[in-house]
Amino acid sequence: MDRLSQIAARFDIDGDVVSVSPLGNGLINDTYKVVTSLREEPSYVLQRINHAIFTDVELLQNNIDEVTSHIRHKLEKKGVSDVDRKVLTFVKDKITGKSYYFDGENYWRVSVFIPGAVSPEAVTPESARRAGEAFGNFQSMLADIEKPLGETIPGFHSMVLRLKQLDDAVRLDPVKRVAEVADLLEFINERRDKMTFAERLESQGMLTKRLCHCDTKVNNMMFDSKTEEFLLVIDLDTVMPSYVFSDYGDFLRTAASTVAEDDPNLDKVGFNSEIFKAFTEGYLKGADFLTDVEIKNLPEGVMLFPYMQGVRFLTDYINGDTYYKIKYPEHNLVRARNQFKLLESIEKQLPEISQYISSLKSLN
Ligand code: GN1
Ligand code: MG
Protein backbone atom coordinates (compact mmCIF):
# COMPACT_ATOMS: atom_id res chain seq x y z
CA MET A 1 0.00 0.00 0.00
CA ASP A 2 1.34 3.46 -0.83
CA ARG A 3 1.85 6.09 1.85
CA LEU A 4 -1.36 8.07 1.16
CA SER A 5 -3.46 4.90 1.19
CA GLN A 6 -1.88 3.87 4.49
CA ILE A 7 -2.78 7.23 5.97
CA ALA A 8 -6.37 7.01 4.75
CA ALA A 9 -6.62 3.52 6.24
CA ARG A 10 -5.71 4.90 9.70
CA PHE A 11 -9.14 6.45 9.80
CA ASP A 12 -12.32 4.64 10.67
CA ILE A 13 -13.52 4.26 7.08
CA ASP A 14 -15.76 1.61 5.52
CA GLY A 15 -14.16 -0.75 2.98
CA ASP A 16 -10.53 -1.05 1.88
CA VAL A 17 -8.63 1.77 0.23
CA VAL A 18 -8.30 1.16 -3.53
CA SER A 19 -6.81 4.45 -4.74
CA VAL A 20 -5.95 7.96 -3.59
CA SER A 21 -5.66 10.72 -6.21
CA PRO A 22 -5.55 14.57 -6.26
CA LEU A 23 -8.77 16.58 -5.99
CA GLY A 24 -9.59 20.28 -6.42
CA ASN A 25 -7.44 23.37 -6.64
CA GLY A 26 -7.04 24.84 -3.13
CA LEU A 27 -4.10 27.15 -2.60
CA ILE A 28 -3.24 25.99 0.91
CA ASN A 29 -3.95 22.34 1.76
CA ASP A 30 -3.37 19.21 -0.36
CA THR A 31 -6.59 17.38 -1.14
CA TYR A 32 -7.18 13.85 -2.45
CA LYS A 33 -10.16 11.67 -3.24
CA VAL A 34 -10.20 8.18 -1.81
CA VAL A 35 -11.82 5.29 -3.65
CA THR A 36 -12.60 2.22 -1.56
CA SER A 37 -13.62 -1.35 -2.33
CA LEU A 38 -17.26 -0.41 -1.65
CA ARG A 39 -18.01 1.59 -4.82
CA GLU A 40 -16.45 3.03 -7.93
CA GLU A 41 -16.94 6.67 -7.14
CA PRO A 42 -14.87 8.19 -4.32
CA SER A 43 -16.06 7.54 -0.79
CA TYR A 44 -13.83 9.89 1.19
CA VAL A 45 -11.71 13.03 0.92
CA LEU A 46 -8.23 12.97 2.46
CA GLN A 47 -6.50 16.24 3.24
CA ARG A 48 -3.05 17.17 4.40
CA ILE A 49 -3.54 20.23 6.56
CA ASN A 50 -0.94 22.90 5.87
CA HIS A 51 0.32 23.33 9.40
CA ALA A 52 2.87 25.96 8.45
CA ILE A 53 -0.23 28.13 7.98
CA PHE A 54 -2.63 26.53 10.44
CA THR A 55 -0.22 26.15 13.31
CA ASP A 56 -2.75 24.97 15.90
CA VAL A 57 -4.41 21.96 14.29
CA GLU A 58 -6.00 20.86 17.56
CA LEU A 59 -7.82 24.22 17.84
CA LEU A 60 -8.71 24.13 14.16
CA GLN A 61 -10.24 20.66 14.26
CA ASN A 62 -12.06 21.48 17.50
CA ASN A 63 -13.63 24.48 15.75
CA ILE A 64 -14.65 22.29 12.82
CA ASP A 65 -16.08 19.55 15.08
CA GLU A 66 -18.08 22.17 16.95
CA VAL A 67 -19.38 23.88 13.81
CA THR A 68 -20.30 20.72 11.91
CA SER A 69 -22.11 19.15 14.86
CA HIS A 70 -23.93 22.41 15.59
CA ILE A 71 -25.12 22.69 11.98
CA ARG A 72 -26.05 19.02 11.76
CA HIS A 73 -28.11 19.35 14.91
CA LYS A 74 -29.92 22.42 13.56
CA LEU A 75 -30.68 20.82 10.20
CA GLU A 76 -31.98 17.67 11.88
CA LYS A 77 -34.16 19.70 14.23
CA LYS A 78 -35.63 21.57 11.27
CA GLY A 79 -36.41 18.26 9.60
CA VAL A 80 -34.22 19.03 6.57
CA SER A 81 -33.88 16.02 4.24
CA ASP A 82 -30.57 14.58 3.07
CA VAL A 83 -28.59 16.07 5.98
CA ASP A 84 -25.48 14.04 5.09
CA ARG A 85 -25.14 16.06 1.90
CA LYS A 86 -25.65 19.39 3.67
CA VAL A 87 -22.92 19.30 6.26
CA LEU A 88 -19.45 17.72 6.25
CA THR A 89 -18.82 14.55 8.25
CA PHE A 90 -15.29 13.95 9.53
CA VAL A 91 -14.02 10.44 10.21
CA LYS A 92 -12.08 9.71 13.37
CA ASP A 93 -8.58 8.30 13.63
CA LYS A 94 -9.11 4.65 14.66
CA ILE A 95 -6.47 4.78 17.37
CA THR A 96 -6.70 8.22 18.98
CA GLY A 97 -10.40 8.88 18.31
CA LYS A 98 -9.53 12.40 17.11
CA SER A 99 -10.70 13.90 13.82
CA TYR A 100 -7.11 14.32 12.65
CA TYR A 101 -3.96 12.22 12.54
CA PHE A 102 -0.40 13.46 13.05
CA ASP A 103 2.17 11.17 11.45
CA GLY A 104 5.14 12.87 13.11
CA GLU A 105 5.53 15.28 10.22
CA ASN A 106 2.14 16.11 8.73
CA TYR A 107 -1.44 16.48 9.90
CA TRP A 108 -4.16 14.61 8.02
CA ARG A 109 -7.94 14.39 8.13
CA VAL A 110 -10.64 12.48 6.31
CA SER A 111 -14.20 13.52 5.52
CA VAL A 112 -17.01 11.68 3.78
CA PHE A 113 -17.19 12.41 0.04
CA ILE A 114 -20.52 13.88 -1.01
CA PRO A 115 -21.67 12.27 -4.25
CA GLY A 116 -23.25 14.41 -6.97
CA ALA A 117 -21.99 17.63 -5.40
CA VAL A 118 -20.09 20.05 -7.58
CA SER A 119 -18.54 23.42 -6.94
CA PRO A 120 -18.84 25.72 -9.93
CA GLU A 121 -16.05 28.00 -11.06
CA ALA A 122 -18.65 30.50 -12.24
CA VAL A 123 -22.13 31.27 -10.91
CA THR A 124 -25.41 32.39 -12.41
CA PRO A 125 -27.60 35.07 -10.78
CA GLU A 126 -29.91 32.28 -9.63
CA SER A 127 -27.17 30.26 -7.94
CA ALA A 128 -25.73 33.46 -6.48
CA ARG A 129 -29.09 34.20 -4.87
CA ARG A 130 -29.20 30.74 -3.34
CA ALA A 131 -25.60 31.02 -2.24
CA GLY A 132 -26.31 34.38 -0.61
CA GLU A 133 -29.16 32.95 1.35
CA ALA A 134 -27.09 29.91 2.26
CA PHE A 135 -24.15 31.95 3.54
CA GLY A 136 -26.53 34.21 5.44
CA ASN A 137 -28.11 31.08 6.95
CA PHE A 138 -24.68 29.64 7.70
CA GLN A 139 -23.75 32.71 9.74
CA SER A 140 -27.21 32.73 11.28
CA MET A 141 -26.98 29.07 12.32
CA LEU A 142 -23.64 29.73 13.98
CA ALA A 143 -24.88 32.81 15.82
CA ASP A 144 -25.85 30.81 18.91
CA ILE A 145 -22.78 28.59 19.34
CA GLU A 146 -22.03 28.98 23.01
CA LYS A 147 -18.46 27.76 23.14
CA PRO A 148 -16.10 30.54 22.04
CA LEU A 149 -14.17 29.44 18.97
CA GLY A 150 -10.54 30.44 18.48
CA GLU A 151 -8.96 32.21 15.51
CA THR A 152 -7.27 29.51 13.43
CA ILE A 153 -5.08 32.20 11.87
CA PRO A 154 -4.83 35.12 14.30
CA GLY A 155 -5.99 38.37 12.68
CA PHE A 156 -6.83 36.52 9.46
CA HIS A 157 -9.15 39.19 8.02
CA SER A 158 -7.74 42.12 9.93
CA MET A 159 -6.94 44.79 7.37
CA VAL A 160 -4.74 46.54 9.90
CA LEU A 161 -2.64 43.40 10.31
CA ARG A 162 -2.51 42.70 6.56
CA LEU A 163 -1.20 46.22 5.92
CA LYS A 164 1.38 45.78 8.65
CA GLN A 165 2.54 42.54 7.04
CA LEU A 166 2.85 44.38 3.73
CA ASP A 167 4.84 47.18 5.36
CA ASP A 168 7.16 44.63 6.97
CA ALA A 169 7.71 42.92 3.62
CA VAL A 170 8.40 46.24 1.89
CA ARG A 171 10.90 47.19 4.58
CA LEU A 172 12.80 43.90 4.31
CA ASP A 173 12.42 43.57 0.53
CA PRO A 174 13.96 40.08 0.76
CA VAL A 175 14.00 39.26 -2.97
CA LYS A 176 14.29 42.82 -4.31
CA ARG A 177 10.84 43.08 -5.85
CA VAL A 178 9.65 46.31 -4.21
CA ALA A 179 10.94 48.66 -6.92
CA GLU A 180 8.83 47.05 -9.65
CA VAL A 181 5.57 47.31 -7.66
CA ALA A 182 5.76 51.00 -6.73
CA ASP A 183 2.52 51.79 -8.60
CA LEU A 184 0.62 49.17 -6.63
CA LEU A 185 2.03 50.39 -3.31
CA GLU A 186 0.79 53.86 -4.14
CA PHE A 187 -2.65 52.52 -5.05
CA ILE A 188 -2.75 50.73 -1.68
CA ASN A 189 -1.59 53.75 0.30
CA GLU A 190 -4.31 55.95 -1.13
CA ARG A 191 -6.91 53.62 0.33
CA ARG A 192 -5.45 52.68 3.71
CA ASP A 193 -7.64 54.83 5.90
CA LYS A 194 -10.82 53.99 4.12
CA MET A 195 -10.18 50.26 4.10
CA THR A 196 -9.55 49.97 7.85
CA PHE A 197 -13.14 51.06 8.57
CA ALA A 198 -14.15 47.84 10.34
CA GLU A 199 -11.42 48.04 12.96
CA ARG A 200 -12.34 51.68 13.51
CA LEU A 201 -16.01 50.86 14.00
CA GLU A 202 -15.08 48.11 16.44
CA SER A 203 -12.88 50.43 18.48
CA GLN A 204 -15.80 52.88 18.64
CA GLY A 205 -17.97 50.08 20.05
CA MET A 206 -20.21 50.02 16.97
CA LEU A 207 -19.26 46.67 15.51
CA THR A 208 -18.52 43.24 16.97
CA LYS A 209 -17.19 40.07 15.43
CA ARG A 210 -19.40 37.07 14.69
CA LEU A 211 -18.59 33.57 13.59
CA CYS A 212 -17.86 33.70 9.89
CA HIS A 213 -16.64 31.24 7.28
CA CYS A 214 -13.89 33.58 6.08
CA ASP A 215 -13.24 31.86 2.76
CA THR A 216 -16.55 32.15 0.93
CA LYS A 217 -15.18 31.87 -2.55
CA VAL A 218 -17.27 30.11 -5.14
CA ASN A 219 -15.30 26.90 -5.16
CA ASN A 220 -15.93 26.44 -1.45
CA MET A 221 -19.61 25.90 -2.05
CA MET A 222 -21.22 22.75 -3.37
CA PHE A 223 -24.37 22.46 -5.45
CA ASP A 224 -26.26 19.37 -6.55
CA SER A 225 -25.00 18.56 -10.04
CA LYS A 226 -28.49 17.66 -11.29
CA THR A 227 -30.97 19.93 -9.50
CA GLU A 228 -28.50 22.79 -8.92
CA GLU A 229 -29.81 23.00 -5.35
CA PHE A 230 -27.32 24.58 -2.95
CA LEU A 231 -25.99 21.84 -0.69
CA LEU A 232 -23.27 23.03 1.65
CA VAL A 233 -20.31 25.17 2.45
CA ILE A 234 -16.97 23.36 2.60
CA ASP A 235 -13.41 24.28 3.62
CA LEU A 236 -14.12 25.17 7.22
CA ASP A 237 -10.51 25.80 8.29
CA THR A 238 -11.04 29.51 8.55
CA VAL A 239 -14.36 29.51 10.40
CA MET A 240 -13.63 32.00 13.16
CA PRO A 241 -14.83 35.23 14.71
CA SER A 242 -14.63 38.03 12.13
CA TYR A 243 -16.63 40.98 10.85
CA VAL A 244 -19.68 39.98 8.74
CA PHE A 245 -18.09 41.62 5.71
CA SER A 246 -15.80 38.62 5.47
CA ASP A 247 -18.46 36.33 4.09
CA TYR A 248 -20.41 38.89 2.12
CA GLY A 249 -17.38 40.54 0.55
CA ASP A 250 -15.22 37.54 -0.17
CA PHE A 251 -17.98 35.78 -2.08
CA LEU A 252 -18.51 38.80 -4.32
CA ARG A 253 -14.76 39.12 -4.84
CA THR A 254 -14.72 35.77 -6.61
CA ALA A 255 -18.28 35.22 -7.85
CA ALA A 256 -19.01 38.70 -9.16
CA SER A 257 -15.65 39.09 -10.83
CA THR A 258 -15.95 38.65 -14.58
CA VAL A 259 -12.74 36.57 -14.61
CA ALA A 260 -10.73 34.25 -12.36
CA GLU A 261 -8.63 35.87 -9.63
CA ASP A 262 -5.44 35.17 -11.56
CA ASP A 263 -6.52 36.20 -15.05
CA PRO A 264 -3.64 38.27 -16.46
CA ASN A 265 -5.85 40.11 -18.97
CA LEU A 266 -6.76 43.18 -16.93
CA ASP A 267 -9.02 44.57 -19.64
CA LYS A 268 -11.40 41.73 -18.94
CA VAL A 269 -11.56 42.23 -15.15
CA GLY A 270 -14.86 43.74 -14.06
CA PHE A 271 -17.63 43.53 -11.48
CA ASN A 272 -20.84 41.80 -12.51
CA SER A 273 -23.74 43.76 -11.09
CA GLU A 274 -26.32 41.03 -11.81
CA ILE A 275 -24.43 38.57 -9.60
CA PHE A 276 -23.96 41.30 -7.00
CA LYS A 277 -27.67 42.06 -6.89
CA ALA A 278 -28.78 38.46 -6.72
CA PHE A 279 -26.26 37.51 -4.03
CA THR A 280 -27.10 40.57 -1.94
CA GLU A 281 -30.79 39.83 -2.12
CA GLY A 282 -30.23 36.26 -0.96
CA TYR A 283 -27.74 37.27 1.71
CA LEU A 284 -30.01 39.88 3.27
CA LYS A 285 -32.79 37.31 3.38
CA GLY A 286 -30.63 34.66 5.09
CA ALA A 287 -28.67 36.95 7.40
CA ASP A 288 -31.60 37.96 9.55
CA PHE A 289 -29.38 39.15 12.40
CA LEU A 290 -27.57 42.10 10.78
CA THR A 291 -27.39 45.43 12.59
CA ASP A 292 -27.92 48.76 10.85
CA VAL A 293 -24.20 49.49 11.09
CA GLU A 294 -23.40 46.20 9.40
CA ILE A 295 -25.88 46.78 6.60
CA LYS A 296 -24.76 50.34 6.10
CA ASN A 297 -21.17 49.22 5.66
CA LEU A 298 -21.84 46.37 3.22
CA PRO A 299 -20.72 48.54 0.25
CA GLU A 300 -17.37 49.04 2.02
CA GLY A 301 -17.33 45.28 2.55
CA VAL A 302 -17.61 44.78 -1.23
CA MET A 303 -14.47 46.88 -1.71
CA LEU A 304 -12.59 45.48 1.26
CA PHE A 305 -11.99 41.97 -0.02
CA PRO A 306 -10.39 42.64 -3.41
CA TYR A 307 -8.29 45.21 -1.56
CA MET A 308 -7.28 42.80 1.21
CA GLN A 309 -6.65 39.93 -1.20
CA GLY A 310 -4.57 42.20 -3.43
CA VAL A 311 -2.53 43.27 -0.42
CA ARG A 312 -2.04 39.63 0.59
CA PHE A 313 -0.99 38.50 -2.91
CA LEU A 314 1.37 41.44 -3.24
CA THR A 315 2.88 40.82 0.20
CA ASP A 316 3.54 37.23 -0.79
CA TYR A 317 5.11 38.35 -4.07
CA ILE A 318 7.40 40.75 -2.21
CA ASN A 319 8.28 38.02 0.28
CA GLY A 320 9.33 35.66 -2.51
CA ASP A 321 6.15 33.52 -2.71
CA THR A 322 6.26 31.77 0.62
CA TYR A 323 2.50 31.49 1.25
CA TYR A 324 0.34 30.83 -1.81
CA LYS A 325 1.03 28.05 -4.23
CA ILE A 326 2.19 29.56 -7.53
CA LYS A 327 2.40 28.14 -11.04
CA TYR A 328 4.92 30.65 -12.45
CA PRO A 329 7.21 33.32 -10.92
CA GLU A 330 4.93 36.33 -11.52
CA HIS A 331 1.76 34.53 -10.44
CA ASN A 332 1.22 36.46 -7.20
CA LEU A 333 1.87 39.76 -8.93
CA VAL A 334 -0.64 38.93 -11.65
CA ARG A 335 -3.16 38.00 -8.96
CA ALA A 336 -2.54 41.26 -7.09
CA ARG A 337 -2.97 43.39 -10.22
CA ASN A 338 -6.16 41.52 -11.03
CA GLN A 339 -7.60 42.22 -7.56
CA PHE A 340 -6.79 45.92 -7.69
CA LYS A 341 -8.36 46.18 -11.13
CA LEU A 342 -11.48 44.56 -9.70
CA LEU A 343 -11.48 47.08 -6.87
CA GLU A 344 -11.26 49.96 -9.34
CA SER A 345 -14.21 48.60 -11.19
CA ILE A 346 -16.22 48.30 -7.94
CA GLU A 347 -15.28 51.85 -6.97
CA LYS A 348 -16.74 53.10 -10.23
CA GLN A 349 -20.00 51.27 -9.54
CA LEU A 350 -20.17 52.23 -5.86
CA PRO A 351 -23.12 54.65 -6.10
CA GLU A 352 -25.29 51.94 -7.69
CA ILE A 353 -24.03 49.33 -5.24
CA SER A 354 -24.95 51.49 -2.24
CA GLN A 355 -28.24 52.47 -3.73
CA TYR A 356 -29.20 48.88 -4.40
CA ILE A 357 -28.41 47.77 -0.85
CA SER A 358 -30.45 50.58 0.65
CA SER A 359 -33.33 49.83 -1.71
CA LEU A 360 -33.50 46.33 -0.22
CA LYS A 361 -33.18 47.34 3.39
CA SER A 362 -34.52 50.51 4.86
CA LEU A 363 -32.50 51.42 7.91
CA ASN A 364 -33.63 52.93 11.19
C1 GN1 B 1 -6.67 30.63 0.12
O1 GN1 B 1 -6.80 27.49 -0.06
P1 GN1 B 1 -7.89 28.34 -0.56
O2 GN1 B 1 -7.75 28.53 -2.03
O3 GN1 B 1 -9.24 27.85 -0.15
C2 GN1 B 1 -6.71 31.57 1.33
C3 GN1 B 1 -7.88 32.54 1.22
C4 GN1 B 1 -7.74 33.31 -0.06
C5 GN1 B 1 -7.63 32.35 -1.25
C6 GN1 B 1 -7.35 33.09 -2.52
C7 GN1 B 1 -6.07 30.06 4.70
O4 GN1 B 1 -7.79 29.81 0.11
O5 GN1 B 1 -7.89 33.41 2.30
O6 GN1 B 1 -8.84 34.13 -0.22
O7 GN1 B 1 -6.59 31.39 -1.06
N1 GN1 B 1 -6.81 30.80 2.55
C8 GN1 B 1 -5.93 30.97 3.56
O8 GN1 B 1 -7.64 32.27 -3.59
O9 GN1 B 1 -5.05 31.82 3.51
MG1 MG C 1 -9.51 27.77 1.94
Side-chain angles (χ1 to χ4, degrees):
M1 222 190 325
D2 64 42
R3 180 80 190 121
L4 289 174
S5 304
Q6 276 173 5
I7 291 165
R10 273 257 338 183
F11 288 83
D12 194 11
I13 58 175
D14 294 331
D16 299 323
V17 179
V18 171
S19 70
V20 180
S21 54
L23 174 71
N25 52 5
L27 298 188
I28 308 289
N29 297 320
D30 296 328
T31 308
Y32 306 89
K33 50 182 190 260
V34 179
V35 173
T36 67
S37 50
L38 295 184
R39 60 185 76 88
E40 264 173 38
E41 65 177 359
S43 294
Y44 297 96
V45 174
L46 169 70
Q47 265 191 325
R48 187 176 72 87
I49 305 170
N50 184 332
H51 77 280
I53 289 177
F54 297 107
T55 50
D56 192 342
V57 175
E58 175 77 21
L59 177 147
L60 177 141
Q61 281 301 129
N62 276 338
N63 276 6
I64 292 183
D65 291 345
E66 190 68 27
V67 165
T68 49
S69 60
H70 190 83
I71 292 180
R72 174 174 292 273
H73 186 71
K74 288 230 155 150
L75 295 176
E76 281 167 357
K77 226 167 96 187
K78 271 206 269 175
V80 169
S81 62
D82 221 6
V83 169
D84 285 338
R85 297 177 78 219
K86 293 181 179 158
V87 61
L88 289 174
T89 307
F90 286 86
V91 185
K92 302 251 185 293
D93 176 313
K94 277 194 283 211
I95 296 166
T96 64
K98 288 190 183 281
S99 59
Y100 66 87
Y101 161 53
F102 181 55
D103 66 5
E105 201 178 327
N106 287 300
Y107 288 85
W108 302 88
R109 68 179 165 215
V110 168
S111 58
V112 176
F113 183 88
I114 301 177
V118 288
S119 66
E121 283 300 328
V123 287
T124 59
E126 189 40 42
S127 62
R129 188 185 322 277
R130 282 188 239 141
E133 196 172 341
F135 272 126
N137 277 333
F138 181 82
Q139 288 183 318
S140 178
M141 283 194 285
L142 299 185
D144 61 345
I145 285 196
E146 274 165 20
K147 212 168 116 191
L149 299 194
E151 295 193 6
T152 55
I153 298 178
F156 185 53
H157 277 175
S158 159
M159 198 58 243
V160 171
L161 177 71
R162 295 305 183 185
L163 286 167
K164 183 180 174 302
Q165 290 171 337
L166 173 70
D167 294 342
D168 290 345
V170 168
R171 201 168 333 102
L172 290 173
D173 197 7
V175 291
K176 299 288 163 252
R177 283 175 166 175
V178 167
E180 64 169 303
V181 300
D183 62 323
L184 293 183
L185 293 172
E186 195 189 321
F187 181 93
I188 292 167
N189 285 340
E190 285 163 0
R191 290 160 177 79
R192 272 177 193 252
D193 274 358
K194 203 168 158 194
M195 290 288 91
T196 44
F197 67 95
E199 284 86 353
R200 229 172 2 257
L201 287 171
E202 188 179 28
S203 70
Q204 294 161 354
M206 293 169 76
L207 183 68
T208 50
K209 291 183 176 166
R210 309 173 174 282
L211 270 189
C212 296
H213 179 277
C214 292
D215 193 12
T216 54
K217 53 186 196 180
V218 186
N219 49 17
N220 280 336
M221 18 199 355
M222 310 289 284
F223 292 81
D224 186 290
S225 61
K226 289 205 186 83
T227 64
E228 290 181 10
E229 179 200 5
F230 176 86
L231 291 174
L232 80 164
V233 176
I234 59 165
D235 193 358
L236 304 174
D237 296 330
T238 52
V239 174
M240 67 177 103
S242 187
Y243 308 115
V244 277
F245 316 115
S246 288
D247 291 359
Y248 178 70
D250 214 16
F251 179 87
L252 290 171
R253 178 183 76 79
T254 48
S257 174
T258 46
V259 295
E261 68 181 7
D262 63 350
D263 195 316
N265 187 346
L266 297 187
D267 292 340
K268 287 204 276 165
V269 182
F271 187 68
N272 181 328
S273 64
E274 291 312 305
I275 299 288
F276 155 74
K277 285 183 180 166
F279 180 74
T280 302
E281 215 182 288
Y283 182 73
L284 287 177
K285 191 166 163 212
D288 46 10
F289 51 80
L290 295 175
T291 66
D292 283 359
V293 170
E294 287 170 327
I295 297 172
K296 216 160 116 194
N297 284 281
L298 288 178
E300 275 67 27
V302 182
M303 292 190 285
L304 179 59
F305 282 84
Y307 181 75
M308 186 185 301
Q309 194 61 60
V311 167
R312 292 176 64 194
F313 284 144
L314 186 66
T315 305
D316 199 32
Y317 182 69
I318 295 173
N319 280 335
D321 312 307
T322 58
Y323 190 91
Y324 293 109
K325 291 179 190 166
I326 53 163
K327 294 204 172 115
Y328 54 93
E330 309 270 284
H331 205 161
N332 273 317
L333 180 60
V334 165
R335 288 167 172 152
R337 290 199 184 281
N338 171 306
Q339 295 299 293
F340 293 132
K341 181 68 204 304
L342 177 63
L343 173 56
E344 274 183 328
S345 157
I346 295 170
E347 285 173 344
K348 287 198 190 103
Q349 294 175 54
L350 197 64
E352 295 97 85
I353 290 175
S354 304
Q355 210 244 320
Y356 186 73
I357 294 174
S358 30
S359 77
L360 292 180
K361 211 81 187 180
S362 52
L363 301 174
N364 299 318

